[in-house]
Amino acid sequence: MGTFIAIVLAAVLTNNFITVKTYGICPFLGVSKKTSSAVGMGVAVTIVMALATLVTYPVYTLVMVPLGFGFLEIIFFIFIIAALVQMLEKIIQKLSPSLYNTMGIYLPLITTNCAVLGVAELVIGDMSQFLNGASMNLGWAVLYALFAGLGFTLVMIIMSGMREKLNCYKTPKALAGFPTAMVTASFICMAFMVFTYIQI
Amino acid sequence: MNLLAITAETWKTVGIVAGIFAGSALLIGILILVVGKVFKVDVDEKVTKILENLAGANCGGCGCSGCSGFAAKLASGGGDLSDCHVTSPEKKAEIAKLLGVELKAEEPTVAVVKCNGGSENCGEKFEYKGNPSCASCASLLGGNKLCSYGCLGCGDCKAICPENAIEVKGKLAEVDPDKCVSCGSCIAACPKHIIERIPASAPVYVACSSKCKGKDVMGVCKVGCIGCGLCAKNCPHGAITMVDNLPVFDYSKCTGCLTCVQKCPRKIILKRDVPSAAQKTEA
């Protein structure tokens, strides 16, 4: 249970992908104008992160390391994730057109998203620090990826909500639009930095 | 490191890596191909062809999410081609041919703002200093105009108009009929619902939307319709009926004699500058 809480807190708050690790900045700034599209993007990223980890972690530990080409991880992971997202897009389009219309349109945007690649990299590398002494396995890896995705979605929703709200106010001409978004982003990141003092 | 110093061992490793990549690329490629075949979505060719012929303004005036939504609706037998006001008649004829239906002859229309109560004619309930948008303003007691039906003049219609056909002068929006393509974006955006389509050749229009009784209108607006019905009584062609204290025109009967314009005591029936070619000959 301790490990579970540690992983969830680390993934969502203390090591949030956007605000602390600065992964996935392009959807964070690009798709956060409307809450509806931010939610769609967040859900798509969450699903792809969990699925990608589910595939890349066993491939790495069971195939790549024993065969001695573990050093090819980054290039191989991009390979696998891109293929996975392509297949996922086709499957969703066939099985659920409504889900495809809300979420699937964001899938091509995240084929090589750094947040997705980042989580695949983290679970084979740095993740031991969040494990609280437990040994690493596929379950923890997927759990971490899932909650990292939820943390991503959380920040996306906060950002889009603030940007929607900011649209209702007059901003100085020089700051209107993207500069305001950058300032907003920096404030969100600073707010999340507070969580890094949580000691588990 | 000298290139020549690369040993046979290194080349072997490179070869193995290349082999692994080629192998897995082939494998994943086949996998994607299989998934693509199994989960193939049949895209209706009709939809793509209809979409090609639509104007592609994605204005949303038809009530669909965009042109692709409208194309899908048309292809499935729902919707009406006349819901789209942007596509040219020639393109519409092509779509009708694709759909196998008869194209109804339709008159071009334009949007008009049915209000003439600018700041000099209609006062304000309170000073509004919020976000300059009609939707925000309308959410506060229905807006700051004394007349609860009047144009708020914050320019939501101007902001959404894809053709830049709308000007806001003295807190009153006005549509330039030459630029208007009658897409309907402004009609949907106006929180007071006072923008309406009229035939492009219509000689007159009613510049008021107030459904209030005459006495109430008198108090708030200098150019509001008091619902006296003089226009309806005096129209020689019976083109005007009174509904909810407002004259409603049947433009098929209107000949443009302008009797109503002269009879209106409040001068709210306005003559439009219709291009002479489009103007109907007087009967």
Side-chain angles (χ1 to χ4, degrees):
Chain A
M1 195 62 199
T3 315
F4 178 82
I5 293 172
I7 288 180
V8 169
L9 278 179
V12 177
L13 298 177
T14 60
N15 278 280
N16 187 288
F17 263 58
I18 295 177
T19 57
V20 180
K21 293 206 174 294
T22 59
Y23 291 154
I25 294 300
C26 61
F28 176 53
L29 292 172
V31 202
S32 61
K33 273 191 193 133
K34 273 197 218 148
T35 308
S36 56
S37 50
V39 171
M41 188 73 191
V43 172
V45 169
T46 309
I47 291 173
V48 172
M49 271 169 134
L51 269 179
T53 313
L54 192 66
V55 176
T56 55
Y57 187 76
V59 166
Y60 181 76
T61 48
L62 300 179
V63 182
M64 288 165 72
V65 174
L67 289 183
F69 58 101
F71 59 93
L72 291 174
E73 54 190 49
I74 293 184
I75 203 158
F76 233 87
F77 285 176
I78 288 191
F79 219 46
I80 293 171
I81 292 166
L84 193 75
V85 173
Q86 278 224 322
M87 287 187 259
L88 187 70
E89 193 195 348
K90 278 182 180 138
I91 292 169
I92 289 179
Q93 196 174 11
K94 178 75 180 181
L95 295 184
S96 167
S98 57
L99 184 67
Y100 180 76
N101 281 336
T102 51
M103 188 201 98
I105 40 175
Y106 301 107
L107 284 176
L109 300 175
I110 50 175
T111 37
T112 49
N113 187 306
C114 50
V116 182
L117 184 65
V119 79
E121 273 285 297
L122 270 176
V123 293
I124 60 161
D126 284 2
M127 209 192 129
S128 52
Q129 51 174 312
F130 312 131
L131 282 174
N132 220 1
S135 62
M136 186 63 195
N137 61 31
L138 180 63
W140 293 136
V142 175
L143 186 81
Y144 179 71
L146 189 68
F147 278 93
L150 289 176
F152 179 91
T153 314
L154 175 77
V155 177
M156 286 290 283
I157 292 171
I158 293 174
M159 178 70 168
S160 60
M162 289 176 77
R163 283 182 81 172
E164 274 185 356
K165 200 83 189 159
L166 276 170
N167 274 341
C168 297
Y169 297 96
K170 278 183 195 160
T171 33
K173 207 170 186 184
L175 281 176
F178 199 69
T180 319
M182 297 292 275
V183 174
T184 317
S186 71
F187 275 108
I188 295 173
C189 290
M190 276 199 270
F192 267 78
M193 277 296 164
V194 175
F195 293 120
T196 53
Y197 293 101
I198 294 177
Q199 293 288 325
I200 309 159
Chain B
M1 195 170 78
N2 191 340
L3 202 83
L4 294 169
I6 296 173
T7 58
E9 191 65 23
T10 319
W11 284 118
K12 205 178 147 195
T13 317
V14 170
I16 290 171
V17 169
I20 289 169
F21 271 111
S24 35
L26 193 68
L27 199 74
I28 292 174
I30 291 170
L31 208 62
I32 291 179
L33 196 73
V34 169
V35 170
K37 282 275 180 225
V38 172
F39 293 95
K40 193 168 183 279
V41 178
D42 301 311
V43 179
D44 198 347
E45 250 181 61
K46 218 156 122 191
V47 177
T48 18
K49 273 188 183 159
I50 293 173
L51 193 59
E52 275 168 18
N53 280 310
L54 283 173
N58 285 318
C59 60
C62 52
C64 299
S65 53
C67 290
S68 55
F70 188 55
K73 196 173 164 191
L74 283 175
S76 65
D80 193 4
L81 249 186
S82 61
D83 287 344
C84 180
H85 294 264
V86 189
T87 308
S88 64
E90 298 88 58
K91 293 278 186 191
K92 274 190 181 178
E94 294 248 337
I95 299 170
K97 214 192 285 169
L98 280 169
L99 289 168
V101 293
E102 197 79 7
L103 180 69
K104 279 175 246 153
E106 52 183 83
E107 222 183 326
T109 56
V110 288
V112 286
V113 182
K114 297 187 76 183
C115 178
N116 202 17
S119 43
E120 74 275 15
N121 290 323
C122 183
E124 290 185 348
K125 258 190 279 196
F126 54 88
E127 201 177 338
Y128 178 71
K129 278 193 170 174
N131 177 33
S133 129
C134 303
S136 306
C137 186
S139 64
L140 289 170
L141 301 168
N144 64 341
K145 275 274 169 78
L146 274 175
C147 170
S148 56
Y149 293 94
C151 173
L152 298 173
C154 295
D156 276 13
C157 46
K158 183 185 175 177
I160 204 162
C161 181
E163 304 289 324
N164 294 325
I166 300 180
E167 277 299 322
V168 180
K169 288 175 201 149
K171 288 262 161 198
L172 181 69
E174 205 177 310
V175 183
D176 183 345
D178 296 331
K179 286 185 192 163
C180 179
V181 294
S182 195
C183 67
S185 303
C186 53
I187 296 174
C190 180
K192 300 308 252 178
H193 310 293
I194 55 167
I195 307 180
E196 207 173 83
R197 281 196 187 95
I198 57 168
S201 59
V204 290
Y205 76 102
V206 185
C208 182
S209 302
S210 174
K211 291 172 183 166
C212 290
K213 293 218 173 77
K215 198 178 152 226
D216 303 332
V217 178
M218 283 285 216
V220 295
C221 183
K222 286 183 197 160
V223 288
C225 175
I226 52 173
C228 63
L230 271 178
C231 48
K233 276 176 214 149
N234 283 296
C235 180
H237 310 285
I240 308 175
T241 44
M242 295 300 290
V243 179
D244 290 334
N245 291 322
L246 274 175
V248 174
F249 274 80
D250 179 353
Y251 286 111
S252 61
K253 288 182 189 162
C254 177
T255 57
C257 64
L258 304 182
T259 312
C260 48
V261 179
Q262 288 149 17
K263 290 287 175 191
C264 181
R266 306 279 283 174
K267 302 290 166 225
I268 64 142
I269 301 180
L270 299 184
K271 182 182 177 296
R272 292 180 67 242
D273 295 322
V274 195
S276 53
Q279 201 154 20
K280 287 183 192 173
T281 47
E282 273 197 39

